[in-house]
Amino acid sequence: GNRRVLLLEAGRDFRSAETPPEMASINPLRIIVPPRLQALYQWPGLMARRAAGQQPRLYWRGRCMGGSSSVYAMIAIRGVAAAFDHWEALGCEGWSFNDVLPFFRKAEADEHFSGSPWHGNDGPLPVWRTPRSQWGAIDRAAADAALALGYPWHDDLNAPMGDGVAHYPITCSAGRRRVSTNDGYLERARGRNNLAIIGEALIDRVVLEGRRAIGVEVLRGAERVTYRGQQIVISAGAVHSPTILMRSGIGDPASLAEHGIAVRHALPAAGRHFMDHPVVRAEVRLKPEHRPTDIDFRHTNVCVTWSSGLGGAGHRDWSFLA
C-alpha cells in the first residue's frame, strides 16, 4: 500500500462489466475471427507463419485489458510436472513442480477439484470443465474413439500424471462467461487509491540511466510521453516484451546493430528461442442435426494426451495434446 502503481495498456481500457459480449463468450471464435474485432482488440500488423511455405497470417495476440487472456481459448492447462523438475535439474532453482504448485493453486478456484492437493479453491481465476452432456458431436466422437483405442479416462488433466482422455479445464465462471486476468485480478484492485490505469498507451522503450531502468517512453496517439518510476515491470507477453527490451538497447548486439540501436546491455537471449505450440487444424462439415444452434457454444471440451516417444519425448510425462 505504500507504492504508487501506474499500469500502461497498449489497447483499450475497460471495466469488467463493459467487456464486449463477443469477448465474454466461452466461444473464443467470436472475438478471434471477425476482422472488425481483430482491429479493435488484436494487433492488425502482427503477421506470422509457422512454416516457410505458408503465407503470413494474423498472429493472434490480445491488445486490450487482460491481454491475450481476453481473446484466447481460456484453456487452463499447466505445464507437465516432469518438465518443471527437468528445469530445476538444469539449474533453475525454485522451478521444480513442487515449488511452482503453490502458485498454480493460489491462482485458481477449481470448481471440480477444490479438495485435491493439486488444486486451489479460492483463487481469482475460476476453472470449469464442461460436462459431457453439453459436449458437441465432435467432442463425443473424439472421446469415444480414443477410449475404444485403449486410452484411459483421466478426470484431472492438471494432476501430475495426466495422460489419457480428459475434459479441457477452462477459465470461465460456471461454464458461461470468460474470466480474463482483467476480470480475475485487475477488477478487484481498481478501487485502490494508489493505482492509476492508462489505456491506449504503447510502450516504445525503457529509459535507462546507466544500467538502471528509471522509466518508460510511451506513445499516446501522436504524443510521446515519459513516465518515471522506481521499478519497471515489463509484462507485454512473449512477442512484445523482448521487442521492448531490444528497442531499449537490451539484446543481442548484432541484432541491435542491424537496426541502428545502440547497445545499452548485451543480452543475446532477448527475442530468441521463441516457440509456439505445433498445431494441425482440421475442419469437419457436420450434418444439420449435429450443428450447434447456440452462438456461445464452446467448440473444444475434450482432449487426448499421450507420449509419442519421438523427438526426445521418450519420458512418459512429456505429452502432446491433440
Side-chain angles (χ1 to χ4, degrees):
N2 59 355
R3 294 285 187 97
R4 295 176 59 208
V5 177
L6 174 63
L7 172 62
L8 300 169
E9 164 58 47
R12 295 183 173 190
D13 177 25
F14 51 82
R15 300 295 298 264
S16 183
E18 300 166 344
T19 302
E22 297 89 350
M23 184 180 290
S25 173
I26 63 168
N27 173 11
L29 299 181
R30 292 190 62 189
I31 189 66
I32 286 177
V33 173
R36 177 182 66 86
L37 298 177
Q38 289 176 350
L40 287 174
Y41 300 112
Q42 297 190 56
W43 299 81
L46 184 62
M47 309 294 284
R49 59 188 178 189
R50 295 179 184 272
Q54 295 178 330
Q55 292 298 314
R57 300 177 63 178
L58 179 69
Y59 192 75
W60 294 335
R61 302 291 297 172
R63 182 171 60 94
C64 58
M65 301 311 297
S68 292
S69 73
S70 293
V71 301
Y72 269 15
M74 294 159 273
I75 295 173
I77 297 179
R78 302 171 184 172
V80 179
F84 292 104
D85 291 338
H86 181 61
W87 289 357
E88 185 186 47
L90 292 175
C92 298
E93 185 178 348
W95 279 92
S96 72
F97 179 70
N98 285 334
D99 288 328
V100 300
L101 178 60
F103 297 96
F104 283 127
R105 295 186 62 191
K106 184 178 180 180
E108 71 179 11
D110 195 300
E111 300 191 30
H112 299 97
F113 294 102
S114 61
S116 164
W118 316 118
H119 295 285
N121 58 9
D122 56 1
L125 298 177
V127 175
W128 168 267
R129 296 162 186 80
T130 306
R132 187 183 176 100
S133 61
Q134 298 176 25
W135 291 1
I138 296 294
D139 287 322
R140 294 194 301 270
D144 290 345
L147 292 168
L149 287 170
Y151 293 96
W153 175 260
H154 191 79
D155 282 331
D156 184 7
L157 187 61
N158 281 329
M161 301 297 287
D163 288 359
V165 187
H167 295 280
Y168 263 132
I170 59 175
T171 49
C172 71
S173 57
R176 300 307 302 170
R177 189 184 192 280
R178 175 195 298 270
V179 177
S180 68
T181 55
N182 183 42
D183 302 317
Y185 287 91
L186 188 56
E187 187 63 32
R188 64 179 65 190
R190 282 181 179 264
R192 298 179 184 175
N193 293 328
N194 62 338
L195 172 65
I197 300 172
I198 300 177
E200 300 185 84
L202 177 64
I203 295 180
D204 182 39
R205 67 184 186 94
V206 179
V207 178
L208 299 172
E209 191 174 79
R211 291 169 58 88
R212 175 177 167 77
I214 62 169
V216 289
E217 274 192 17
V218 179
L219 301 174
R220 298 185 63 187
E223 186 181 13
R224 183 178 290 269
V225 183
T226 298
Y227 296 99
R228 299 174 70 92
Q230 291 181 317
Q231 184 179 43
I232 313 299
V233 178
I234 302 296
S235 181
V239 173
H240 291 97
S241 289
T243 57
I244 291 171
L245 292 177
M246 288 188 281
R247 288 197 300 270
S248 309
I250 302 170
D252 177 58
S255 297
L256 298 180
E258 288 181 22
H259 298 279
I261 301 173
V263 178
R264 302 297 300 271
H265 175 59
L267 188 67
R272 291 187 177 179
H273 310 299
F274 173 79
M275 182 177 65
D276 204 342
H277 58 75
V279 61
V280 176
R281 176 174 168 176
E283 295 187 0
V284 180
R285 184 175 296 276
L286 299 177
K287 295 180 179 179
E289 62 268 28
H290 296 306
R291 297 173 188 168
T293 57
D294 181 358
I295 194 172
D296 292 317
F297 176 82
R298 183 166 180 82
H299 71 303
T300 307
N301 297 296
V302 67
C303 67
V304 184
T305 64
W306 74 96
S307 176
S308 69
L310 302 174
H315 192 292
R316 182 176 182 274
D317 285 345
W318 290 81
S319 304
F320 295 88
L321 301 179

